[in-house]
Amino acid sequence: MKRKPPTEQRIGGVLHTYLKFDPRKFPSPTKPPPDLVSPWINEWMAYGSQRELTEEELARAIRIDPSQFKNFGPSLDRVQAMLEERKQKILATYESHSVQQRAKKRFHKTARRGPRPRDRDRDEYRDAVQQEQIYQLEQLWYKQGDDRGEMARHLVLLMDQLGEKYQVDELAANYEFTGHESMTIPLALEIKEELDRIEELLAQLEQARENAQIGILDLDQLAEQIDPETMQSLEELQRTIDNYVREMAERQGLTKKDGQYHLTPQAFRTFQKKLLGRIFGELQASRSGRHATDLPGEGAVELQQTQPYQFGDSITQMDIPQTFVNALLRRGGGLPVQLKTEDIEVHQTRNQPKCATVVLMDMSGSMRYDGQYINVKRMALAMEGLIRTEFPGDVVKFVEMYTFGKVRTQGEILDLMPKPVTIHDPWVQLKVDMADPDVSESMVHPHFTNIQHALKLARQLLAGQPTANRQIVLITDGLPTAHFEDSMLYLLYPPHPRTEEMTMREGQRCAQDGITINLFLVPSWSQSEEDIRFAYRLCETTRGRVFFTGGKDLDRFVVWDYLQRKREIL
C-alpha cells in the first residue's frame, strides 16, 4: 500500500467544540472534582438518620466552580437585571402612604360599626382595637363560646382586616416607593407578594452564583418574571450543570433512583479517604509519615536483604541460589557441591505486630454540647478507614456508651445520637434489676454514662484477639454516673463514689489482662475539676494515658496517637 508523503498526512484527530464550556477556564485535569459525598455524610452524622437527597438538596450542599461553565455569569446577570428592573418599575409607579391610611381607617371603621361587645368584654375590646393587637381579638373570640354568633363573626372580620393592615405596613416598611399612583388594599397585597417573590429569586440567584447550581432556583416563579428567550437559555444551562453533577455523583458513588440520590459503600469509602487526607494534611511536616517502621527479625514477610545463617534462624527462609554460590566460591568450583554452615544465607524478614483496639464512644446526654457526638463519630470513621487501608491486619471494634454499653458495627456509627435527657431532678439515686424479666432497657433512663459496663464489653472483645498489643480508646466528657453490680444497675447523679469504685475495678481488670486504656477527655458545659481528677485517677491506677483535646481535633489526636503507638510497639 502506497503511503502518503509526510506533507499530505493529517495531523491529530477529530476536534470537538464544547459549546457549553469555556475552554479558557476549563478546569485542570489534576484539579479535584467537587465533593458531593462529604456534605451529605456530615449532615447524616449531625442528625443521625440516613435518607435520600433530592436534586435541590444536593445542589445546596455541594460547591462547584462556576467559571468552568461558559456564559454562566452573564446568564445570571441578565436574569438579575430583569428582576431588578421589574422591581424598580413597581417602586417608581406607586406610593404607599395612602394605602396605609386606607387600611387603618377601614379597620377602625369596621370596629366602630360592629355589634356592641358584652359589658365584661367592653374594656378588653376597646383596648384591642386601639392597640391593634390580633392576639387580643383572638382571646375575645375564644371567650364568646359560640363561633357562629354575631360578635364572633365580627371579630373574625376584624382579625382579617387587621392582618391585611399588618401586611400593608410591612410593605411600606420593607420597600421605598417613589411613585405617585395610589394603591387599593387588594392591589397592595398583590404587589407585596410579587416584590417578596422577586427578593426571594434574587437571593436564590446569589446562592446559585456561588456554587453554580441553578437547581436551587424556582424556575416556575422565574418564568413569570423574565422573557421566554432568557428562560430557555437558563434551562439549557441548567441541563448542562445537571449532567455534570450526575456524572460526578456516579463517579463518587452516589446513585440516583426515583429522582433522589442514594449513598453507596463506594461513596462511604470516598468520605473516609478525604477525612484521612484532611487529618494527615494538618499534621506537622516532620510527623507526616503514615507507615510504621518495619522491624527486622522473625516474621511473616520475607525481605530481599540476606544475612549469614545463625543458630536459631528458620531454614525455610534460606536463600538457595546465594547459598550455592557461596559454596562454589569457597571450593573454587567442581562437583559435587558440599554445603557447610558458613555457606548458608537466609533472607531477613519483617515483623509487623498486630494491634487490637476497642473504641468506647460516649453518647450520653451531655455529648450533645457543642456537637461533641459528631466529632466522636468522625473520629471513629477515621480510625476504621486508617486501619482498613494502612494496617489491614489490625482489628478495631466500637462500643456505644450511655446508660448501657452496646457493641456497634461500622455501619451503625453514623446513626448514633446522644441520648435524650428523660429526668431533670438535681438528685437521682435509682436502681433496677436488669435480670427481672418484666424490665427492658427501653424502660430505663438512657442518658447516664456507664463507663464500667463499656470497659467490661471492651475487655471481653479484646480477650479473644491473638495479639499482646491490645488497647481501649475511651472518649468521654467526665465522670461516670451509672454502673452494674451483678445484674443490678445503679443510676446515681451527682456522680457517686460507689460508681467510681466499680469503674476503677473494671479498669484494673483491663490492666491485669495487659490492655492499655487511653482516655480522651473532651470539653463539656458541665465539666469540672473533679472530672479531670477522675481521668487522672483512672489512667494512673491502670497504667494508662489521658489526653485533653478540643472536640474538633479529636479525630487528628486519636489517629496520630494510634500511629505513634504502632511505632512504639515496633
Side-chain angles (χ1 to χ4, degrees), residues 326-528:
N326 292 342
L328 291 172
L329 291 175
R330 179 176 52 82
R331 288 177 51 102
L335 295 174
V337 179
Q338 296 181 352
L339 297 180
K340 291 189 176 182
T341 304
E342 58 267 27
D343 299 328
I344 301 176
E345 292 270 345
V346 294
H347 284 283
Q348 294 181 1
T349 58
R350 183 176 65 192
N351 182 22
Q352 194 175 43
K354 295 182 179 180
C355 292
T357 304
V358 176
V359 180
L360 308 185
M361 304 174 293
D362 191 346
M363 288 293 151
S364 60
S366 59
M367 291 300 288
R368 191 178 296 273
Y369 168 74
D370 201 25
Q372 294 289 21
Y373 70 99
I374 301 177
N375 300 318
V376 172
K377 294 196 285 186
R378 185 179 292 112
M379 176 279 308
L381 296 178
M383 280 288 291
E384 196 277 337
L386 171 73
I387 291 175
R388 179 175 47 81
T389 57
E390 300 292 339
F391 307 105
D394 289 2
V395 174
V396 61
K397 296 183 180 296
F398 302 96
V399 173
E400 181 188 14
M401 182 175 67
Y402 52 110
T403 298
F404 305 93
K406 292 292 179 182
V407 179
R408 298 300 184 187
T409 64
Q410 174 260 350
E412 296 175 305
I413 292 175
L414 287 174
D415 291 322
L416 300 181
M417 291 292 289
K419 300 302 177 280
V421 178
T422 55
I423 184 171
H424 299 275
D425 295 348
W427 190 273
V428 179
Q429 289 190 336
L430 300 174
K431 68 177 181 179
V432 57
D433 187 1
M434 297 307 298
D436 188 341
D438 296 328
V439 175
S440 65
E441 292 185 4
S442 61
M443 301 167 60
V444 181
H445 299 289
H447 61 275
F448 290 79
T449 308
N450 196 336
I451 298 179
Q452 176 230 17
H453 191 214
L455 287 174
K456 181 179 179 180
L457 284 178
R459 180 169 56 86
Q460 293 172 346
L461 290 172
L462 292 172
Q465 298 300 325
T467 176
N469 306 309
R470 296 173 293 171
Q471 67 172 346
I472 293 173
V473 175
L474 168 59
I475 302 162
T476 185
D477 60 353
L479 288 160
T481 53
H483 72 275
F484 273 100
E485 294 185 21
D486 296 327
S487 64
M488 192 67 67
L489 174 64
Y490 290 84
L491 308 178
L492 304 174
Y493 186 84
H496 196 276
R498 182 63 176 170
T499 300
E500 180 174 336
E501 178 185 351
M502 300 304 294
T503 303
M504 292 294 181
R505 286 187 183 180
E506 189 58 47
Q508 290 170 358
R509 293 190 184 99
C510 294
Q512 291 171 359
D513 291 349
I515 300 172
T516 302
I517 297 177
N518 302 300
L519 194 157
F520 288 81
L521 193 66
V522 297
S524 172
W525 67 271
S526 60
Q527 199 169 81
S528 65

Side-chain angles (χ1 to χ4, degrees), residues 41-184:
I41 296 185
N42 287 331
E43 181 180 358
W44 187 357
M45 286 193 292
Y47 295 99
S49 61
Q50 180 184 11
R51 63 183 183 87
E52 296 77 17
L53 289 182
T54 63
E55 291 185 359
E56 180 178 350
E57 290 171 328
L58 185 63
R60 293 182 183 276
I62 63 177
R63 293 292 180 268
I64 302 175
D65 183 7
S67 64
Q68 62 186 280
F69 297 99
K70 186 178 181 181
N71 293 330
F72 178 82
S75 296
L76 295 191
D77 290 342
R78 186 164 59 251
V79 175
Q80 182 177 358
M82 289 182 179
L83 294 175
E84 291 285 0
E85 181 181 359
R86 173 60 181 164
K87 174 183 173 182
Q88 293 303 321
K89 184 177 180 180
I90 294 174
L91 296 178
T93 302
Y94 300 99
E95 56 87 18
S96 58
H97 179 71
S98 61
V99 73
Q100 281 186 279
Q101 296 299 320
R102 190 175 293 115
K104 183 180 182 69
K105 290 180 180 178
R106 186 186 67 167
F107 168 72
H108 286 280
K109 182 179 180 180
T110 303
R112 289 194 304 270
R113 294 185 175 182
R116 292 177 60 86
R118 295 174 297 189
D119 292 341
R120 61 184 180 183
D121 298 333
R122 187 173 302 165
D123 293 339
E124 187 175 353
Y125 177 80
R126 182 171 54 251
D127 186 59
V129 173
Q130 291 177 351
Q131 299 296 327
E132 299 179 354
Q133 295 294 328
I134 283 184
Y135 80 92
Q136 290 180 316
L137 296 175
E138 289 178 342
Q139 290 177 346
L140 279 173
W141 183 84
Y142 284 115
K143 288 183 178 180
Q144 301 308 306
D146 181 12
D147 56 358
R148 296 184 179 181
E150 183 182 9
M151 189 62 189
R153 296 197 303 271
H154 173 67
L155 290 172
V156 170
L157 177 61
L158 278 180
M159 286 187 284
D160 287 341
Q161 292 185 357
L162 185 55
E164 291 180 350
K165 179 186 179 298
Y166 284 172
Q167 294 188 61
V168 171
D169 291 341
E170 183 181 358
L171 172 67
N174 290 343
Y175 301 99
E176 185 177 353
F177 289 88
T178 59
H180 301 285
E181 185 176 337
S182 61
M183 295 180 282
T184 63

Side-chain angles (χ1 to χ4, degrees), residues 276 280 289-294 352-357 382-396 559-567 570:
L276 287 174
F280 287 109
R290 295 180 60 179
H291 296 277
T293 305
D294 301 326
Q352 194 175 43
K354 295 182 179 180
C355 292
T357 304
M383 280 288 291
E384 196 277 337
L386 171 73
I387 291 175
R388 179 175 47 81
T389 57
E390 300 292 339
F391 307 105
D394 289 2
V395 174
V396 61
V559 166
W560 181 243
D561 179 69
Y562 187 84
L563 295 175
Q564 290 288 70
R565 180 163 175 76
K566 288 289 289 187
R567 291 186 175 91
L570 289 173

Side-chain angles (χ1 to χ4, degrees), residues 139-339:
Q139 290 177 346
L140 279 173
W141 183 84
Y142 284 115
K143 288 183 178 180
Q144 301 308 306
D146 181 12
D147 56 358
R148 296 184 179 181
E150 183 182 9
M151 189 62 189
R153 296 197 303 271
H154 173 67
L155 290 172
V156 170
L157 177 61
L158 278 180
M159 286 187 284
D160 287 341
Q161 292 185 357
L162 185 55
E164 291 180 350
K165 179 186 179 298
Y166 284 172
Q167 294 188 61
V168 171
D169 291 341
E170 183 181 358
L171 172 67
N174 290 343
Y175 301 99
E176 185 177 353
F177 289 88
T178 59
H180 301 285
E181 185 176 337
S182 61
M183 295 180 282
T184 63
I185 295 176
L187 178 60
L189 297 180
E190 292 179 7
I191 289 176
K192 180 181 182 299
E193 183 179 355
E194 183 175 1
L195 289 175
D196 289 345
R197 186 162 55 244
I198 291 175
E199 289 294 334
E200 182 180 356
L201 291 173
L202 288 173
Q204 291 176 0
L205 285 171
E206 288 299 323
Q207 186 175 357
R209 194 187 304 276
E210 295 178 1
N211 60 6
Q213 279 301 318
I214 303 181
I216 64 178
L217 297 179
D218 190 336
L219 295 183
D220 293 334
Q221 290 190 7
L222 200 59
E224 300 175 2
Q225 303 292 336
I226 62 178
D227 59 78
E229 182 180 354
T230 304
M231 190 66 194
Q232 182 180 0
S233 175
L234 202 61
E235 290 174 345
E236 292 179 359
L237 186 57
Q238 181 186 21
R239 285 192 291 270
T240 301
I241 297 176
D242 287 344
N243 292 335
Y244 175 77
V245 172
R246 188 179 302 109
E247 181 181 353
M248 292 297 102
E250 292 175 356
R251 291 182 182 181
Q252 297 183 27
L254 300 179
T255 60
K256 188 176 180 181
K257 182 180 180 181
D258 299 330
Q260 292 184 320
Y261 286 95
H262 302 256
L263 193 69
T264 66
Q266 177 190 346
F268 189 80
R269 302 303 182 207
T270 300
F271 173 76
Q272 283 186 314
K273 183 178 180 180
K274 291 180 180 292
L275 182 59
L276 287 174
R278 179 188 63 82
I279 292 173
F280 287 109
E282 292 175 355
L283 296 178
Q284 297 177 10
S286 60
R287 297 183 174 184
S288 60
R290 295 180 60 179
H291 296 277
T293 305
D294 301 326
L295 179 66
E298 188 71 23
V301 181
E302 188 177 87
L303 303 178
Q304 293 183 353
Q305 295 86 351
T306 62
Q307 64 185 18
Y309 173 81
Q310 297 179 1
F311 180 77
D313 287 342
S314 174
I315 200 66
T316 59
Q317 308 297 340
M318 183 174 65
D319 184 349
I320 296 177
Q322 186 61 47
T323 299
F324 276 93
V325 169
N326 292 342
L328 291 172
L329 291 175
R330 179 176 52 82
R331 288 177 51 102
L335 295 174
V337 179
Q338 296 181 352
L339 297 180

